[in-house]
Amino acid sequence: MDNSSLLAGESVGRQLNDRILILQILVAVFFCINVLLIVTFFQKECFYTVTRYILFAVALLSDSLILTMSNIMFIMIYFRFSMPIGLCFIFCFVLSMYSSVTPVTLTAMTLERYVAICMPLRHAELCTARSALHCVLIILLLSLIPCSAVMFVFLSSVSLSFFTPVQNCAIDTFLIHTWQDHVRSAIYQLYFFVMFTVLIFAYVRMIKVAKAASGENKKATRKGLRTVVLHGFQLLLCLIRLWCPFIEFAVFQIDLALFINVRTFNYIFFQVAPKCLSPLIYGLRDEKFFHSLKYDVLYGLFKRNH
């Protein structure tokens, strides 16, 4: 190998290292924002007794967990670290489950906005703190189904000796049959088809209400419509993430360096980015939540300085 090839390889390595550093900064920033929002949520009773804020907190907790775990897995794969298969199994199971929690929660939040705008007289009756807790249990159950379908097949197909080796941790390790990946993709596609159907239905009905509304009601309805649109954009990014493994596999057959670049791009835009939109949609756009957050931050700084 000549010197120019070595320099090119070192240049690619430096670029990738810079990207990894930038990625860690982005993940840390959004993780800190999520933590601030979660602390604000638990500090005031007016938040943890209202359905939409409870669902928002569930989305924040899920996003924070996914950001942390997916970032750890990304770094381990990038630097080729290994872990026991048993620990990797638990890691991938939790990550797969909570990857579904966010989009299912977004759908529930869309339905809550639909009830608030299109059925205002029944909103207080339907959207109580008790019903929100029941909704959280349903969200966790629905999120458990896709990953369970893959993991239970894996557990029934391998012996205990499979769990002893140490190797790189990735979800692909547990896809021992080709049809497993097809089943997983089919379940996810069905989920997102249902979610988008609910989203479009709610959006169309809310548009009709917006046309008939006036004054403050019209303003609140338009804000609800923007929230639903942002939810739709989040769900679209989550849906595109399902196609990323197929794209990465095709690129891997062409060039390794291009594969690493594509995988890094997919991780940033279709794994990290959707998880960073929740604070914007409900945390920073919601006046009550934003004022509480600003008060907590400023009061904390003022108290520290004095």
Side-chain angles (χ1 to χ4, degrees), residues 8-28:
E10 291 175 1
S11 176
V12 171
R14 277 198 301 271
Q15 290 176 2
L16 291 175
N17 287 334
D18 292 341
R19 291 173 190 174
I20 292 294
L21 180 60
I22 294 172
L23 178 61
Q24 299 313 301
I25 294 173
L26 289 174
V27 169

Side-chain angles (χ1 to χ4, degrees), residues 13 18 61 64 79-80 84-85 100 102 122 139 166 179 187 196 222 233 243 253 259 265 271 282 288 293 295-296 302:
D18 292 341
L61 291 169
S64 301
F79 291 105
R80 299 180 181 178
I85 293 296
S100 301
T102 298
R122 299 199 62 191
I139 288 170
V166 176
W179 58 267
I187 294 174
F196 264 105
R222 286 179 176 175
F233 180 64
W243 302 330
Q253 308 298 320
F259 164 75
F265 176 86
Q271 181 72 23
Y282 258 89
K288 184 186 294 185
L293 175 65
Y295 173 79
D296 290 340
F302 177 80

Side-chain angles (χ1 to χ4, degrees), residues 61-267:
L61 291 169
S62 174
D63 291 345
S64 301
L65 182 64
I66 293 172
L67 274 177
T68 304
M69 295 186 68
S70 63
N71 189 51
I72 292 172
M73 183 173 286
F74 180 81
I75 292 173
M76 292 184 67
I77 292 175
Y78 181 79
F79 291 105
R80 299 180 181 178
F81 293 143
S82 301
M83 71 164 60
I85 293 296
L87 181 60
C88 178
F89 177 84
I90 298 173
F91 205 89
C92 290
F93 184 85
V94 174
L95 186 58
S96 298
M97 175 185 170
Y98 277 92
S99 294
S100 301
V101 168
T102 298
V104 177
T105 305
L106 291 176
T107 306
M109 294 168 78
T110 299
L111 288 175
E112 188 275 334
R113 287 292 83 199
Y114 165 77
V115 173
I117 292 173
C118 299
M119 306 167 62
L121 298 179
R122 299 199 62 191
H123 183 261
E125 175 190 350
L126 296 175
C127 299
T128 62
R130 184 181 180 86
S131 62
L133 295 178
H134 292 161
C135 184
V136 171
L137 292 177
I138 295 173
I139 288 170
L140 294 177
L141 180 61
L142 290 174
S143 303
L144 192 61
I145 294 174
C147 60
S148 298
V150 173
M151 296 305 183
F152 285 159
V153 171
F154 167 76
L155 290 174
S156 62
S157 304
V158 299
S159 60
L160 291 176
S161 60
F162 186 89
F163 290 90
T164 53
V166 176
Q167 63 179 32
N168 293 333
C169 183
I171 189 66
D172 298 338
T173 306
F174 308 104
L175 299 175
I176 56 179
H177 302 294
T178 305
W179 58 267
Q180 275 180 280
D181 194 27
H182 298 325
V183 170
R184 183 183 64 161
S185 297
I187 294 174
Y188 279 129
Q189 298 290 349
L190 175 62
Y191 269 44
F192 281 99
F193 173 76
V194 173
M195 292 174 194
F196 264 105
T197 302
V198 171
L199 199 79
I200 292 171
F201 168 78
Y203 186 72
V204 171
R205 292 296 301 272
M206 290 166 69
I207 285 178
K208 293 181 179 179
V209 173
K211 290 180 179 179
S214 60
E216 290 296 323
N217 290 335
K218 196 175 189 69
K219 182 180 179 181
T221 304
R222 286 179 176 175
K223 187 173 182 180
L225 286 171
R226 288 194 294 269
T227 300
V228 173
V229 169
L230 289 171
H231 285 339
F233 180 64
Q234 269 187 294
L235 288 175
L236 179 62
L237 292 179
C238 293
L239 180 61
I240 293 174
R241 184 176 62 85
L242 299 178
W243 302 330
C244 290
F246 303 103
I247 298 172
E248 292 170 4
F249 179 78
V251 173
F252 181 74
Q253 308 298 320
I254 301 173
D255 183 68
L256 179 60
L258 180 61
F259 164 75
I260 295 174
N261 291 335
V262 169
R263 192 165 197 174
T264 305
F265 176 86
N266 288 341
Y267 175 71

